[in-house]
């Protein structure tokens, strides 16, 4: 039970004031709030009885959860019970839980008494007064538990920070004087990250790391340093180590600093070992001499060597190591794990359960019955078939066989398996093959001579002018066309360059008709230069003016129109009637239509709509109108 207990799941303990606010606000939210004196008296009584019962039930549930979440010292492992006694004082812890239990009982009795009184309430005022008195007494009971609630919240926070230690699993427990290298050892063999500093009592609480050995998970616990004085004089930090040594079934590694850099000589460390030796009873024990990188055991003085020799005579193994250089660290770990495994197996063999298990197991060991040799029996047909498969031909060696045989001298050669007519051609400098033939064998031997003859022939043709272009074949018309095409290409190139220059100028763009670069005379002269006849082009409309839309005649206003009447819109074309007057016979009908339209608009105006198509929905429940149920006055008594 203790191994699976999770202290991190304990719910937060609110303060007394927060406790009262949480319960009363929940009562206000979850119960009806409207009551009138005109109601029947049974209904009024039931209204206030419900509030009292609901408040009492909330207090009862929350206090019960606190009592159930916190561990009971009688139900958990003795290691956790003693550790909580060291850290939080068992009497104070039980007293705080007892006061919470008493508060729950008092609140239940208050609710019970006032519900009985509410049954005889004869008016709304009297029932309301009884309800206020009941809730007030409940809140007074809770406010008196202020110190107990604060203490339990501190305990909860500290419990949630405790490491998860399984008292029943395979465990290595490291102990010794402060600053002897315990934290460095656990950091080396596990993934724990315990702070290491060159002063004493760096480790002030228990730290847990995990390591693997023989495919098993091992728990390694680093304890705070212990000083050599009586049990009554030890402080809370030292008592955590004493509690772990007393209750955990683990392999104990007592670390000693033989270099005496920890501030305590070897004699004092041996004295501490003898002082806490009763805590090592019935546990695998090992003494680890750390810091051998500073001084070896062979270099110790005779007095210190005698102290270690006396410990070895008692049957306690002493293993050297150095956490700085890593020498001997894994040997210490492996030897401690082997000792603990042997110890656990021996204890299981001594238990009564082993006999029941061994009675169900039987290991069969065959015994030789005589001296007769019995070789394996192979049928004759199988031997004949195997003999027929054997041939005298040597087995062809594969590339893998050659590689194993030659080892480092082996070189993979692809050319040795080329199938050529002449085997000597396999390693030619030009090993290009096509259709099984070597291309180098079919090169024309007279190719260089033929190439020289061809070059001489080309030189003679060039000297004779065979490749010169004959321009005399072109007539006058062709030359004119070529000249015209050259001018056109040149003009297009200039137009393109001018267009690129215009694009680069950062200024507002103008319409085409406002641009000054479109000159008709210049256009005509350019076309005439290109050979186009522009003589009879007066009606060509090179610069066409923009067509004008004929405007309608202005409508004359009627003289009979009233002085205060509204002018008709000028956008309405002549001869047409506005929409609010179209289809209406007389002014009386027009007035009636206006009244109907105004009434139809009332609903949209009421909701602030812009028109029939306006589907906007504002905040349906404004927070300032619907949040809470409180009105004027203070909110303390609710």
């Amino acid at each position: 039970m203790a191994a699976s207990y999770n202290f991190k799941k304990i719910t937060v303990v609110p303060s007394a004031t927060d406790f009262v606010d949480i319960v009363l606000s929940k009562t206000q939210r979850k119960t009806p709030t409207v009551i009138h004196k005109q109601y029947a008296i049974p209904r009024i009584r039931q209204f206030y009885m419900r509030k009292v019962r609901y408040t009492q039930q909330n207090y009862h549930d929350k206090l019960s959860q606190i009592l159930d979440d916190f561990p009971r010292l009688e139900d958990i492992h003795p290691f956790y019970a003693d550790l909580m006694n060291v850290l939080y004082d068992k009497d104070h812890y039980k007293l705080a839980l007892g006061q919470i239990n008493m508060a729950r009982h008092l609140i239940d009795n208050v609710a019970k008494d006032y519900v009985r009184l509410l049954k005889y309430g004869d008016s709304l005022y009297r029932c309301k007064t009884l309800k206020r008195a009941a809730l007030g007494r409940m809140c007074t009971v809770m406010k008196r538990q202020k110190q107990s609630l604060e203490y339990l919240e501190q305990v909860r926070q500290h419990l949630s920070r405790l490491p998860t230690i399984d008292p029943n699993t395979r465990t290595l427990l490291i102990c010794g004087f402060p600053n002897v290298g315990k934290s460095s050892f656990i950091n080396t063999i596990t993934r724990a990250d315990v702070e290491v500093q060159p002063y004493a009592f760096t480790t002030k609480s228990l730290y847990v790391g995990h390591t693997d050995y023989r495919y098993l998970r091992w728990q390694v616990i680093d304890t705070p340093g212990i000083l050599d004085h009586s049990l009554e004089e030890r402080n809370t930090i030292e008592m955590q180590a004493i509690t772990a040594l007393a209750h955990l079934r683990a392999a104990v590694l007592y670390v000693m600093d033989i270099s005496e850099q920890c501030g305590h000589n070897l004699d004092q460390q041996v004295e501490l070992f003898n002082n806490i030796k009763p805590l090592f009873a019935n546990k695998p024990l090992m003494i680890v001499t750390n810091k051998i990188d500073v001084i070896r055991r062979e270099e110790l003085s005779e007095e210190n060597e005698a102290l270690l020799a006396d410990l070895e005579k008692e049957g306690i193994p002493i293993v050297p190591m150095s956490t700085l250089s890593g020498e001997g660290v894994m040997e210490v770990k492996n030897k401690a794990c082997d000792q603990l495994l042997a110890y656990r197996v021996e204890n299981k063999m001594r238990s009564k359960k082993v006999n029941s298990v061994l009675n169900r197991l039987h290991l069969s060991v065959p015994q030789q019955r005589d001296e007769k040799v019995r070789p394996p029996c192979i049928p004759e047909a199988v031997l004949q078939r195997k003999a027929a498969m054997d041939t005298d031909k040597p087995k062809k060696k594969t590339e893998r066989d050659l590689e194993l045989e030659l080892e480092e001298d082996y070189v993979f050669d692809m050319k040795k398996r080329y199938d050529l007519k002449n085997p000597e051609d396999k390693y030619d400098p030009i090993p290009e093959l096509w259709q099984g033939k070597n291309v180098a064998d079919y090169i024309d031997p007279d190719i260089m001579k033929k190439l020289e003859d061809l070059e001489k022939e080309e030189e003679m043709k060039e000297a004779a002018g065979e490749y010169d272009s004959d321009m005399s074949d072109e007539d006058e018309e062709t030359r004119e066309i070529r000249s015209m095409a050259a001018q056109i290409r040149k003009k297009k190139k200039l137009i393109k360059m001018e267009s690129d220059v215009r694009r680069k100028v950062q200024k507002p763009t103008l319409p085409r008709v406002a641009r000054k670069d479109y000159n008709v005379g210049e256009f005509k002269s350019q076309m005439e230069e290109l050979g186009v006849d522009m003589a009879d082009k007066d009606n060509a409309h090179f610069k066409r003016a923009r067509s004008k839309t004929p405007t309608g005649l202005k409508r004359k206003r009627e003289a009979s129109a009233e002085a205060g009447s509204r002018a008709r819109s000028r956008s309405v074309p002549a001869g047409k009637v506005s929409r609010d007057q179209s289809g209406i016979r007389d002014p009386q009908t027009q007035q009636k239509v206006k009244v109907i339209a105004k009434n139809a608009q009332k609903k949209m105006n009421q909701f602030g709509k812009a028109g029939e198509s306006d589907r906007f929905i504002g905040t349906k429940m404004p927070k300032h109108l619907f949040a809470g149920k409180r009105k004027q006055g203070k909110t303390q008594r609710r």
Side-chain angles (χ1 to χ4, degrees):
M1 176 181 177
S4 61
Y5 196 90
N6 190 359
F7 295 121
K8 294 178 176 59
K9 290 185 178 180
I10 302 176
T11 55
V12 178
V13 181
S15 62
T17 306
D18 294 342
F19 214 122
V20 171
D21 289 343
I22 290 169
V23 173
L24 291 186
S25 62
K26 188 174 182 181
T27 303
Q28 181 74 357
R29 287 183 286 108
K30 298 292 186 180
T31 57
T33 56
V34 180
I35 191 69
H36 298 288
K37 61 181 179 180
Q38 293 86 2
Y39 291 168
I41 192 64
R43 182 176 177 182
I44 296 174
R45 291 171 184 165
Q46 190 64 31
F47 177 84
Y48 287 108
M49 287 166 59
R50 180 178 177 182
K51 284 187 174 292
V52 173
R53 287 198 187 101
Y54 192 83
T55 305
Q56 175 265 333
Q57 190 62 40
N58 281 337
Y59 274 123
H60 184 89
D61 293 344
K62 291 186 178 298
L63 294 176
S64 299
Q65 186 179 14
I66 292 174
L67 293 173
D68 293 340
D69 285 347
F70 277 91
R72 296 183 181 180
L73 300 182
E74 294 79 9
D75 297 340
I76 60 178
H77 194 275
F79 165 70
Y80 280 114
D82 278 5
L83 187 62
M84 293 181 67
N85 182 28
V86 168
L87 296 174
Y88 318 121
D89 187 6
K90 178 173 64 176
D91 297 335
H92 194 178
Y93 177 77
K94 286 187 174 182
L95 189 61
L97 291 179
Q99 288 178 346
I100 298 298
N101 188 25
M102 181 58 67
R104 181 180 64 174
H105 182 64
L106 289 175
I107 289 174
D108 293 346
N109 289 340
V110 168
K112 185 177 179 181
D113 294 341
Y114 276 89
V115 167
R116 188 182 298 113
L117 292 174
L118 280 168
K119 290 180 181 179
Y120 299 99
D122 54 358
S123 65
L124 185 143
Y125 175 76
R126 186 161 296 178
C127 292
K128 182 177 180 180
T129 306
L130 289 172
K131 186 267 296 185
R132 288 181 57 187
L135 268 60
R137 289 188 62 181
M138 293 180 194
C139 295
T140 302
V141 172
M142 281 309 303
K143 288 180 180 178
R144 289 175 180 171
Q145 309 305 319
K146 178 181 178 181
Q147 294 182 351
S148 297
L149 293 173
E150 291 176 352
Y151 169 77
L152 289 177
E153 173 62 14
Q154 293 178 1
V155 171
R156 183 200 67 82
Q157 293 178 2
H158 198 278
L159 277 175
S160 65
R161 292 192 293 266
L162 282 180
T164 303
I165 299 175
D166 187 359
N168 300 317
T169 191
R170 296 166 292 274
T171 306
L172 302 181
L173 193 60
I174 310 170
C175 64
F177 263 103
N179 207 23
V180 296
K182 302 185 296 297
S183 300
S184 301
F185 178 68
I186 191 175
N187 289 344
T188 304
I189 66 172
T190 68
R191 287 177 291 180
D193 187 15
V194 185
E195 184 181 5
V196 178
Q197 295 294 341
Y199 50 82
F201 287 107
T202 307
T203 305
K204 298 181 180 179
S205 61
L206 300 176
Y207 285 89
V208 180
H210 293 85
T211 185
D212 293 329
Y213 179 70
R214 290 192 178 181
Y215 305 102
L216 297 174
R217 179 56 58 92
W218 295 74
Q219 181 178 253
V220 185
I221 300 178
D222 180 21
T223 61
I226 307 173
L227 297 178
D228 187 14
H229 45 228
S230 62
L231 188 63
E232 293 78 11
E233 297 177 0
R234 290 198 169 99
N235 55 21
T236 304
I237 298 176
E238 295 176 88
M239 286 304 298
Q240 296 181 55
I242 297 299
T243 304
L245 287 170
H247 293 287
L248 294 179
R249 294 186 298 176
V252 179
L253 277 68
Y254 183 79
V255 183
M256 299 175 64
D257 181 8
I258 59 174
S259 67
E260 300 181 355
Q261 292 180 350
C262 62
H264 304 276
N265 56 36
L266 201 59
D267 192 9
Q268 293 175 334
Q269 298 179 52
V270 173
E271 186 65 27
L272 174 64
F273 175 80
N274 294 327
N275 190 6
I276 62 175
K277 193 173 181 180
L279 299 174
F280 304 150
N282 299 324
K283 295 185 180 71
L285 178 61
M286 179 189 301
I287 294 178
V288 180
T289 55
N290 193 18
K291 302 184 182 179
I292 60 172
D293 56 308
V294 179
I295 183 173
R296 298 275 178 176
R297 182 175 176 180
E298 297 80 11
E299 302 172 2
L300 292 176
S301 61
E302 295 182 359
E303 295 80 2
N304 293 339
E305 178 62 29
L307 293 174
L308 296 179
D310 293 340
L311 294 175
E312 286 183 333
K313 290 179 182 179
E314 298 177 7
I316 303 172
I318 299 178
V319 184
M321 75 168 183
S322 172
T323 55
L324 181 64
S325 63
E327 180 183 356
V329 173
M330 299 312 296
E331 288 78 0
V332 171
K333 168 194 164 184
N334 296 342
K335 191 169 184 179
C337 293
D338 291 337
Q339 275 191 359
L340 184 59
L341 275 180
Y343 173 76
R344 288 169 67 91
V345 170
E346 184 181 356
N347 284 345
K348 289 180 180 179
M349 294 297 294
R350 293 176 183 174
S351 63
K352 297 180 181 179
K353 295 181 180 179
V354 176
N355 295 329
S356 61
V357 175
L358 290 177
N359 290 335
R360 288 177 289 178
L361 298 176
H362 178 69
L363 180 61
S364 298
V365 180
Q367 300 290 336
Q368 188 175 359
R369 59 185 179 184
D370 51 24
E371 299 298 332
K372 186 177 180 181
V373 178
R374 294 179 175 84
C377 179
I378 301 176
E380 188 67 24
V382 174
L383 295 175
Q384 292 177 1
R385 192 182 305 116
K386 187 176 180 181
M389 293 172 62
D390 294 337
T391 59
D392 297 336
K393 296 181 180 180
K395 184 180 177 182
K396 184 179 179 181
K397 290 186 178 182
T398 61
E399 291 294 325
R400 177 59 178 167
D401 296 336
L402 293 174
E403 182 181 2
L404 295 176
E405 181 180 349
L406 300 176
E407 295 182 352
E408 297 180 357
D409 298 334
Y410 172 77
V411 177
F412 181 64
D413 187 8
M414 295 179 60
K415 298 179 181 180
K416 65 182 181 181
R417 299 194 183 277
Y418 286 171
D419 187 11
L420 300 179
K421 185 176 181 181
N422 187 4
E424 297 178 356
D425 297 339
K426 293 181 181 179
Y427 298 97
D428 285 352
I430 308 177
E432 293 292 337
L433 302 178
W434 184 67
Q435 294 184 355
K437 297 180 181 180
N438 197 331
V439 179
D441 294 340
Y442 298 92
I443 294 178
D444 189 357
D446 301 331
I447 189 169
M448 299 305 295
K449 183 179 180 182
K450 292 179 180 178
L451 179 61
E452 292 177 359
D453 297 341
L454 184 61
E455 289 177 352
K456 289 180 180 179
E457 183 179 355
E458 291 295 325
E459 290 176 358
M460 293 171 63
K461 287 184 177 181
E462 288 181 1
E466 184 176 351
Y467 298 115
D468 296 341
S469 59
D470 189 5
M471 300 296 295
S472 61
D473 295 342
E474 296 180 356
D475 55 359
E476 184 177 355
E477 184 179 359
T478 306
R479 287 197 297 271
E480 187 177 353
I481 291 174
R482 287 182 179 276
S483 172
M484 184 72 65
Q487 292 182 22
I488 291 173
R489 284 193 293 269
K490 183 179 179 181
K491 185 62 179 177
K492 286 178 67 176
K493 188 174 182 180
L494 290 174
I495 292 174
K496 183 176 181 302
M497 292 172 63
E498 291 177 1
S499 176
D500 293 343
V501 171
R502 279 199 307 271
R503 287 197 189 97
K504 293 179 181 178
V505 178
Q506 298 296 329
K507 62 181 180 180
T509 50
L510 297 175
R512 293 173 63 90
V513 295
R515 291 180 181 174
K516 297 181 179 180
D517 51 356
Y518 288 94
N519 193 340
V520 177
E522 183 180 350
F523 175 70
K524 285 184 177 181
S525 62
Q526 291 176 359
M527 296 302 293
E528 288 176 353
E529 291 177 2
L530 296 175
V532 180
D533 186 12
M534 304 294 293
D536 191 15
K537 301 293 182 182
D538 296 335
N539 298 325
H541 301 292
F542 292 113
K543 192 172 183 180
R544 178 178 176 270
R546 190 174 180 181
S547 62
K548 296 184 180 179
T549 304
T551 57
L553 298 176
K554 292 185 179 179
R555 297 173 59 254
K556 294 183 179 180
R557 300 186 180 182
E558 296 180 359
S560 60
E562 297 180 0
S565 63
R566 182 182 176 185
R568 295 168 62 102
S569 173
R570 294 187 180 184
S571 64
V572 180
K576 288 193 176 182
V577 186
S578 62
R579 292 181 62 187
D580 60 342
Q581 293 182 2
S582 64
I584 300 175
R585 294 190 302 272
D586 48 25
Q588 290 80 11
T589 308
Q590 182 180 2
Q591 188 67 25
K592 188 175 180 180
V593 169
K594 288 183 178 180
V595 172
I596 294 173
K598 187 176 181 181
N599 291 337
Q601 192 69 21
K602 275 185 179 180
K603 189 173 183 180
M604 287 176 282
N605 293 341
Q606 181 181 0
F607 293 101
K609 303 290 185 182
E612 294 180 0
S613 61
D614 190 357
R615 296 290 186 266
F616 175 74
I617 299 177
T619 307
K620 294 184 178 180
M621 297 180 65
K623 189 172 180 64
H624 69 283
L625 295 178
F626 293 92
K629 301 178 183 177
R630 301 171 184 167
K631 295 183 180 179
Q632 295 179 352
K634 298 181 180 179
T635 60
Q636 292 179 354
R637 55 186 181 83
R638 251 161 288 202

